[in-house]
Amino acid sequence: MVDEHELAGIEGLSDEEAARRLKQEGPNSLPSGKKRTVLRIAFDILKEPMFLLLVGAGIVYLVLGDLQEALILMSFVIMVMGITFYQEQRTERALEALRDLSSPRALVIRGSRQVRIAGVEVVRGDILILAEGDRVPADAVLLVCSNLTVDESLLTGESVPVRKLPCEGPLELGKPGGDDQPSVFAGTLVVKGHGVARVEATGAATEMGKIGTALEAIEPEPTLLQRETRRVVLGIALLALFLCVLVFVVYGATHADWLDGLLVGITLAMAMLPEEFPVVLVIFLTLGAWRISRNHVLTRDMPAVETLGSATVLCVDKTGTLTLNRMSVAKLMACGVACDLRDADSRRLPEEFHELVEFSVLASQRDPFDPVEMAIAKLGDRALYNTEHLHDDWLLEREYPLSPELLALSHVWSSPDGREYIIAAKGAPEAVADLCHLDDARKEELWWYIDELASEGLRILGVARASFTMGDLPTDQHDFVFEFLGLVGLEDPVRPAVKESVRECYGAGIRVIMITGDYPGTARHIAREIGLEPEDEFITGPELDGMGDAELRERIGSVNIFARVVPEQKLRIVKALKANGEVVAMTGDGVNDAPALKAANIGVAMGGRGTDVARESASLVLLDDDFSSIETAVKMGRRIYDNLKKAMSYVIAIHVPIAGMSIIPVLFKLPLVFSPMLIAFLEIIIDPACSLVFEAEPAEGDIMQRPPRRPDQRIFNRRNVVISLLQGLSVLFIVAAVFSFAHMKGMDEMEIRALTFTTLVIANLGLILTNRSWEHTIWHVRRQPNPALWWIVGGTLVLLTFVLYAPFMREIFGFAFLGGVDIAICLGAGLLSVMWFEALKFFTHRKYHPHT
């Protein structure tokens, strides 16, 4: 705790002055954004073309008396609205998490009295009393402190706590990060020591508040697929409306029957309206989110599931993402010998290192809060268990803290026999060497060892011991006669699966960028360890500050390591990548990552160690904090895109013959083939086929060996649309040929309708089968598991048989009885309509894969 003499002469604000400032400057919390009303959100949803199309199609079915189909479509409207309502709350929850984190309770001095108040009541000018374990409630400048270290990883990304020193000049706030600074910041954690500080910024003016402001200012962008689907659906809807009116006018004028003309127009509109598009999009993304959740990835923003499959760049925060954010002792050096504790055979510590570990433990707190001391204590418990080197019965007599002049601390212990003091010292190697008064030869040898450990990216501590006879202890550590014991190297270990995951990302054509608050040397070491390339090029935060946007966009094309980066710069890096046309996925777990997570195309937060702010700002959350889950999510994202392409193409293809056979009889004054009821029957097949069969289709074998699709590539691109239209036109040609053949043979209207409709149903099944893969033939993919496919195919054939051969159903649909020859014609014609695409796939595959 803070000594009374440290508080001498400090009175703090009066209650009246504090109340005046609180009223004038506002509470110490982040401002709440203005929430949109429920009606406003509903209006914004319903004005989207895809939702208007769903509602409109539902109304058409309702007018026609098909209540079941209308209810199904309207249920999708309600589902999508509910999902959108949920997503609307994400930003507000992120800001609320920030407010909770930045507003803990605080111990302040008010009118010479120590009082504990709510964090929201802290005002500028308040005097804070900080102790180990406290979360700092506001940005402040230290007046006095003793051995104070603060964990600023939430703001800087650095896993190692930083030392703090009292301010010796004007009380001015600095920036987070770096040792020996006099500023402390809201939301950071005191891990050792104590201090007294004066508040200089509260609420939105704090570093935490600036992150909240940045979060509030970032507007999520609609995904490429959302924009594309919206545009296509609107275009087709307008075209359908135009043709509906045209057919209504033409039929009414040529047949002098306006009521039938209206029915024909409605039938054409139903044939053309691709209401499956928004349904497919919702179902694919919803089921995709469910599938990904089974691999420990929570989806917070469903469109991100598909977008992840197109990611070209993965920005990785080092601390807690690539590493475990848990310090451990990696290497020891004593008596000129090294002991690597990362080796499998290092479970038993050699005897020559026991004293080094013993005095490392003695130079630390008994119940440590500091992660470095926790790592040392853990090593001591493991390596020195059941030996005479652990001293739970010794009494701590005095602590010599770190100082600007000597970056080392010493603990003085008295042994149970009471004959002498034992002193343990640890700190910066050069400071401990100074305490030991090493000669030049020993120092030169020591620097060589230090350089060797530093090249491995380790944080290095020197350890020494001394003894002192009972009596008055000296005032300075230099008065002891220390013996240098050795060096302790600590690291924040890399997650075990990271190297393989990075390799998988490279194989999938995804570039990996490491963004960290650590020093370049540490970053480069981590890069070497995980296989990140190129490891010799990096940009530091200060260098980035000196770059203009154009220079950054140029440099960022080849540099994959960013070190000593602050939160604002992370956001700038993400924006520069997006400006270069990249699809950016950003991983992270700290408050400092939140703006970049939200600005990225896909934000990926760590669920276990991540902060609420990071999770609320991200699109995806890794529930097990396993970096390798990202590779699985990318694979699923690509699979979803592939299957979406197949489903959308199938929808376009099947609507061509339906619309065509609705127009041809009108143009040539032939018997009408389709009625709304028949089209509704087709929808019973089309809806589950496009939403369930294609969604359940397994991933193509080479899906993770392909480069990411280009950011400007559309699911409705020229190639996809042309192939879909050709498929649809080939089916239309065959069905129209069967229709013409039946008409020329003099069949009656019921026979023509039954023959034409059955051919179209068989062709529809052919379209489903051939679109399962655009690379392999139906024969090649026949054994790929897809239970939904066989349910749909089997159910369709059963329904078709029922409609054709149950007398009362034939009467309802206006069908004639079909014999064996008729069925053979329908079967052969239906399958013939897709054979050209099968042949194209066969010869194309043989050309590029001659040995498979």
Side-chain angles (χ1 to χ4, degrees):
M1 286 298 295
V2 177
D3 295 333
E4 289 299 324
H5 74 272
E6 291 179 308
L7 299 177
I10 300 177
E11 295 185 2
L13 299 175
S14 65
D15 292 336
E16 293 76 14
E17 176 62 18
R20 186 188 69 80
R21 294 191 181 190
L22 184 62
K23 183 177 180 180
Q24 180 181 354
E25 300 179 6
N28 179 35
S29 62
L30 296 179
S32 299
K34 184 179 180 181
K35 292 185 179 180
R36 293 198 295 163
T37 65
V38 171
L39 289 177
R40 180 66 190 177
I41 296 172
F43 177 76
D44 287 344
I45 294 171
L46 291 175
K47 72 180 183 181
E48 296 291 333
M50 66 175 61
F51 297 118
L52 286 174
L53 183 59
L54 275 177
V55 174
I59 292 173
V60 168
Y61 283 120
L62 195 61
V63 170
L64 294 173
D66 193 339
L67 182 62
Q68 180 179 356
E69 191 73 17
L71 289 176
I72 291 173
L73 288 175
M74 297 309 293
S75 68
F76 279 115
V77 173
I78 295 171
M79 180 196 307
V80 173
M81 288 182 67
I83 292 167
T84 307
F85 275 121
Y86 170 75
Q87 294 301 328
E88 180 66 22
Q89 306 304 315
R90 290 202 315 122
T91 299
E92 181 60 27
R93 286 199 301 272
L95 294 173
E96 285 175 359
L98 264 178
R99 285 194 286 274
D100 293 341
L101 186 61
S102 62
S103 188
R105 292 186 64 79
L107 183 62
V108 301
I109 299 177
R110 292 273 176 90
S112 301
R113 293 177 295 109
Q114 295 185 28
V115 293
R116 192 167 291 278
I117 63 174
V120 294
E121 298 176 7
V122 171
V123 298
R124 185 177 52 81
D126 260 331
I127 303 300
L128 299 175
I129 299 176
L130 302 172
E132 186 174 299
D134 287 347
R135 194 169 289 279
V136 180
D139 290 5
V141 176
L142 289 163
L143 304 177
V144 295
C145 65
S146 176
N147 203 26
L148 183 68
T149 59
V150 178
D151 179 358
E152 295 183 346
S153 60
L154 290 180
L155 292 174
T156 65
E158 294 185 50
S159 57
V160 179
V162 293
R163 296 186 304 270
K164 296 294 180 180
L165 296 176
C167 184
E168 296 180 352
L171 297 183
E172 294 181 359
L173 282 171
K175 288 289 185 181
D179 288 318
D180 302 330
Q181 301 298 317
S183 301
V184 290
F185 301 94
T188 60
L189 188 67
V190 177
V191 297
K192 187 192 294 184
H194 56 263
V196 179
R198 172 177 166 149
V199 175
E200 296 295 321
T202 61
T206 63
E207 291 295 318
M208 185 81 74
K210 293 173 185 176
I211 294 175
T213 302
L215 276 175
E216 204 170 28
I218 297 171
E219 289 294 332
E221 300 176 2
T223 67
L224 178 64
L225 184 59
Q226 287 174 311
R227 295 194 299 268
E228 188 180 358
T229 304
R230 185 183 308 163
R231 186 176 61 251
V232 171
V233 166
L234 179 60
I236 295 178
L238 292 175
L239 178 61
L241 179 61
F242 170 75
L243 291 178
C244 173
V245 173
L246 181 63
V247 167
F248 166 65
V249 172
V250 171
Y251 190 93
T254 57
H255 290 72
D257 189 342
W258 294 98
L259 186 59
D260 277 353
L262 178 61
L263 184 61
V264 172
I266 291 175
T267 301
L268 177 59
M270 291 179 63
M272 290 197 63
L273 289 178
E275 71 270 14
E276 298 90 357
F277 281 166
V279 173
V280 165
L281 192 57
V282 170
I283 289 180
F284 268 61
L285 297 182
T286 303
L287 290 180
W290 172 73
R291 292 182 190 280
I292 288 180
S293 71
R294 298 174 68 188
N295 288 275
H296 311 292
V297 179
L298 173 66
T299 304
R300 295 185 47 77
D301 184 16
M302 284 194 295
V305 175
E306 179 273 331
T307 309
L308 188 61
S310 64
T312 58
V313 175
L314 179 58
C315 293
V316 184
D317 182 69
K318 179 185 75 69
T319 304
T321 305
L322 295 176
T323 66
L324 294 169
N325 198 19
R326 187 172 64 240
M327 297 297 291
S328 65
V329 180
K331 207 165 188 178
L332 300 173
M333 282 248 182
C335 306
V337 180
C339 178
D340 195 330
L341 299 177
R342 296 165 292 192
D343 293 340
D345 57 352
S346 64
R347 296 184 181 275
R348 297 193 57 170
L349 190 69
E351 181 65 34
E352 60 263 36
F353 297 98
H354 283 193
E355 191 175 29
L356 172 60
V357 176
E358 173 188 3
F359 278 84
S360 299
V361 173
L362 288 173
S364 305
Q365 298 291 333
R366 269 223 165 104
D367 188 15
F369 198 78
D370 179 83
V372 170
E373 296 192 345
M374 288 172 66
I376 291 173
K378 184 177 180 181
L379 175 62
D381 291 341
R382 176 174 64 83
L384 303 181
Y385 176 73
N386 207 22
T387 70
E388 72 279 7
H389 295 287
L390 293 178
H391 309 286
D392 293 334
D393 55 343
W394 285 17
L395 181 65
L396 180 64
E397 298 286 348
R398 182 169 176 179
E399 179 179 353
Y400 292 88
L402 291 164
S403 67
E405 296 77 24
L406 185 67
L407 298 178
L409 60 84
S410 296
H411 285 178
V412 180
W413 301 87
S414 58
S415 57
D417 57 22
R419 288 181 296 184
E420 63 177 355
Y421 292 119
I422 302 297
I423 301 95
K426 79 172 190 298
E430 60 273 18
V432 176
D434 185 41
L435 282 177
C436 297
H437 305 292
L438 299 182
D439 58 32
D440 291 341
R442 288 285 307 279
K443 284 183 179 178
E444 185 175 347
E445 182 183 9
L446 178 63
W447 300 145
W448 187 87
Y449 291 135
I450 291 173
D451 288 341
E452 184 176 336
L453 293 178
S455 67
E456 299 180 29
L458 303 179
R459 185 186 183 192
I460 308 163
L461 295 175
V463 180
R465 63 158 294 167
S467 59
F468 193 78
T469 56
M470 286 294 185
D472 294 334
L473 289 169
T475 59
D476 190 83
Q477 296 181 73
H478 276 288
D479 294 331
F480 297 113
V481 180
F482 280 103
E483 173 192 355
F484 191 84
L485 296 179
L487 300 171
V488 178
L490 299 105
E491 70 172 357
D492 184 3
V494 169
R495 292 180 180 273
V498 165
K499 186 172 183 178
E500 177 63 20
S501 297
V502 171
R503 189 186 67 80
E504 291 282 350
C505 287
Y506 283 155
I510 301 173
R511 179 179 164 206
V512 181
I513 293 179
M514 178 168 61
I515 304 175
T516 177
D518 261 332
Y519 290 95
T522 305
R524 292 177 65 190
H525 173 74
I526 295 294
R528 284 194 296 272
E529 197 167 343
I530 66 174
L532 186 67
E533 299 175 350
E535 65 182 55
D536 55 340
E537 294 185 36
F538 60 87
I539 296 175
T540 64
E543 290 173 347
L544 195 150
D545 276 338
M547 293 182 186
D549 291 341
E551 183 182 0
L552 176 59
R553 287 180 59 181
E554 181 181 353
R555 290 286 306 281
I556 210 170
S558 58
V559 176
N560 293 330
I561 300 175
F562 289 81
R564 303 301 290 167
V565 168
V566 297
E568 296 84 357
Q569 293 169 330
K570 291 186 178 186
L571 180 58
R572 192 178 168 206
I573 290 169
V574 170
K575 287 183 175 179
L577 287 166
K578 290 174 69 176
N580 280 351
E582 305 282 5
V583 177
V584 183
M586 165 77 186
T587 71
D589 64 350
V591 173
N592 61 311
D593 300 319
L597 286 172
K598 190 173 181 183
N601 299 100
I602 313 105
V604 185
M606 296 297 168
R609 303 186 65 86
T611 63
D612 289 342
V613 182
R615 288 192 290 268
E616 294 294 343
S617 301
S619 304
L620 304 175
V621 179
L622 303 185
L623 298 178
D624 57 359
D625 283 8
D626 188 349
F627 183 81
S628 63
S629 298
I630 297 174
E631 183 265 335
T632 301
V634 169
K635 182 176 181 179
M636 287 194 170
R638 292 187 174 190
R639 170 182 170 272
I640 288 169
Y641 179 83
D642 267 11
N643 291 345
L644 261 176
K645 180 184 71 173
K646 297 169 186 175
M648 297 293 194
S649 298
Y650 162 73
V651 170
I652 293 174
I654 192 58
H655 275 276
V656 170
I658 295 175
M661 292 309 298
S662 299
I663 295 175
I664 289 174
V666 175
L667 295 178
F668 297 100
K669 296 183 179 182
L670 298 173
L672 295 178
V673 177
F674 294 141
S675 66
M677 186 180 296
L678 289 180
I679 293 178
F681 180 87
L682 286 170
E683 291 294 335
I684 293 174
I685 306 170
I686 296 170
D687 286 349
C690 62
S691 58
L692 296 179
V693 171
F694 291 110
E695 193 284 327
E697 194 63 31
E700 303 275 0
D702 64 343
I703 200 165
M704 288 303 286
Q705 281 73 54
R706 308 175 194 166
R709 69 178 188 272
R710 299 188 313 276
D712 60 347
Q713 184 176 341
R714 304 287 192 266
I715 198 167
F716 297 105
N717 59 43
R718 181 179 302 175
R719 175 178 178 270
N720 295 351
V721 171
V722 167
I723 290 177
S724 302
L725 290 176
L726 286 175
Q727 287 182 350
L729 289 171
S730 68
V731 171
L732 175 59
F733 176 79
I734 294 294
V735 172
V738 170
F739 173 78
S740 301
F741 170 78
H743 187 264
M744 286 188 297
K745 292 287 285 183
M747 295 182 179
D748 62 32
E749 185 175 327
M750 296 177 68
E751 287 180 297
I752 293 172
R753 183 179 296 114
L755 201 65
T756 306
F757 182 78
T758 303
T759 303
L760 180 58
V761 170
I762 299 299
N764 180 34
L765 294 179
L767 283 174
I768 295 172
L769 293 172
T770 196
N771 277 291
R772 289 186 68 194
S773 174
W774 279 24
E775 295 182 5
H776 302 289
T777 64
I778 295 174
W779 179 259
H780 188 276
V781 300
R782 70 190 187 283
R783 293 181 180 176
Q784 288 186 0
N786 191 332
L789 170 69
W790 303 115
W791 278 105
I792 296 299
V793 172
T796 299
L797 294 177
V798 169
L799 276 175
L800 182 61
T801 303
F802 183 58
V803 167
L804 289 175
Y805 297 106
F808 71 95
M809 290 300 295
R810 285 206 310 271
E811 185 176 348
I812 291 173
F813 280 87
F815 288 162
F817 182 89
L818 295 182
V821 175
D822 296 329
I823 292 296
I825 291 173
C826 295
L827 185 63
L831 295 179
L832 181 64
S833 66
V834 297
M835 282 299 102
W836 71 270
F837 191 52
E838 288 296 294
L840 177 66
K841 289 189 291 183
F842 176 79
F843 289 111
T844 302
H845 188 78
R846 286 285 298 271
K847 178 180 179 181
Y848 292 103
H849 306 279
H851 302 295
T852 60

